[in-house]
Amino acid sequence: MATLVIPAPQVHTIPTSGGGAFPVRRVYCIGRNYAAHAVEMGHDPDREPPFFFQKNPNNLDVSGEFPYPPHSTDVHHEIELVVALKSGGSNIPLDKALDHVWGYAVSLDMTRRDLQGEAKKLGRPWEIGKAFERSGPVGPLFPVSEVGHPDQGRIALKVNGALRQEGDLNQMIWKVPEMISYLSEYFELAAGDVIMSGTPSGVNAVVKGDVMEAAVEGVGTLTVKVV
Ligand code: MN
């Protein structure tokens, strides 16, 4: 191999419940995957084809702190279940999709909603609203051997103790196997890819000092302070 002309970027990892580290390759995020959230964002909740955007691997952050980002005055929380893949491929059939899952975690898809809104209006990409530094607070990954494949159970977020978001994993419009299978038709999935599986209704703004407590039944909790 040719000599690297600059130092290699570090592989970004998420800690696992067993003390290991899961290396992240790509981060896919589905939009509008709970009907009530689609409605609150002004869309028809009918089963339109799924759509995805991406965050960057090193946007995932396990520090427990979320630095309020620049150039926004309307930063929203979106609690989401993370699906982490141990293998991948193309054109993965539905009935084989879950075989590729390593585990699950609780995460937040933090969003500069004002910038995302401008991008939507202008037909521009969403990265400026979605893929900024530390925009993906995440808890430890739990292997399938510990948590199974959670497809029902409460998903909820409190801010400063007050309930903001609440739903059930069984309300996902596109289920985890469907997301994996669909993505694999358009992209070659691989070990290290993670999918943020969408958020229930109740997204809202945070301010500095807020404490967000995210919980997914059967997977765990994640507490993050806005700083
Ligand atoms: Mn989201």
Side-chain angles (χ1 to χ4, degrees):
M1 187 173 116
T3 304
L4 297 177
V5 297
I6 59 167
Q10 273 198 321
V11 173
H12 194 73
T13 62
I14 307 174
T16 69
S17 60
F22 179 93
V24 181
R25 175 179 177 265
R26 293 182 185 170
V27 182
Y28 295 102
C29 311
I30 191 169
R32 296 174 210 141
N33 201 27
Y34 289 74
H37 173 61
V39 170
E40 77 178 349
M41 297 305 287
H43 296 274
D44 188 322
D46 278 353
R47 215 169 184 255
E48 58 180 13
F51 71 93
F52 294 84
F53 58 92
Q54 284 175 263
K55 287 187 190 267
N56 302 294
N58 64 3
N59 294 156
L60 300 181
D61 184 80
V62 300
S63 70
E65 291 193 335
F66 170 72
Y68 198 93
H71 296 295
S72 178
T73 56
D74 191 27
V75 176
H76 280 203
H77 52 70
E78 298 187 357
I79 181 175
E80 312 211 355
L81 174 71
V82 158
V83 185
L85 303 187
K86 64 182 177 187
S87 54
S90 299
N91 303 313
I92 297 169
L94 262 185
D95 63 343
K96 300 280 183 233
L98 290 180
D99 297 347
H100 297 280
V101 176
W102 187 88
Y104 296 88
V106 181
S107 73
L108 294 168
D109 168 14
M110 298 304 294
T111 302
R112 291 195 278 218
R113 192 72 75 202
D114 41 6
L115 299 190
Q116 184 201 23
E118 281 172 36
K120 281 183 185 175
K121 226 184 304 171
L122 297 168
R124 288 179 180 164
W126 287 9
E127 280 83 358
I128 200 161
K130 288 289 196 179
F132 55 92
E133 306 317 315
R134 297 170 73 176
S135 58
V138 65
L141 268 174
F142 294 88
V144 169
S145 59
E146 276 182 49
V147 298
H149 293 286
D151 59 1
Q152 58 179 337
R154 187 170 181 263
I155 175 168
L157 179 86
K158 289 181 185 174
V159 177
N160 305 328
L163 188 63
R164 286 271 191 95
Q165 291 193 258
E166 189 175 30
D168 193 291
L169 297 177
N170 67 16
Q171 295 165 340
M172 283 185 195
I173 296 170
W174 297 93
K175 311 298 183 192
V176 172
E178 291 175 317
M179 284 187 270
I180 293 169
S181 181
Y182 185 92
L183 275 169
S184 76
E185 292 176 18
Y186 291 84
F187 303 97
E188 189 172 335
L189 298 179
D193 289 353
V194 309
I195 302 168
M196 296 176 73
S197 59
T199 197
S201 62
V203 299
N204 211 327
V206 292
V207 295
K208 279 183 195 174
D210 281 349
V211 175
M212 303 180 283
E213 292 174 75
V216 177
E217 192 180 335
V219 180
T221 60
L222 167 68
T223 300
V224 178
K225 184 171 187 186
V226 183
V227 298

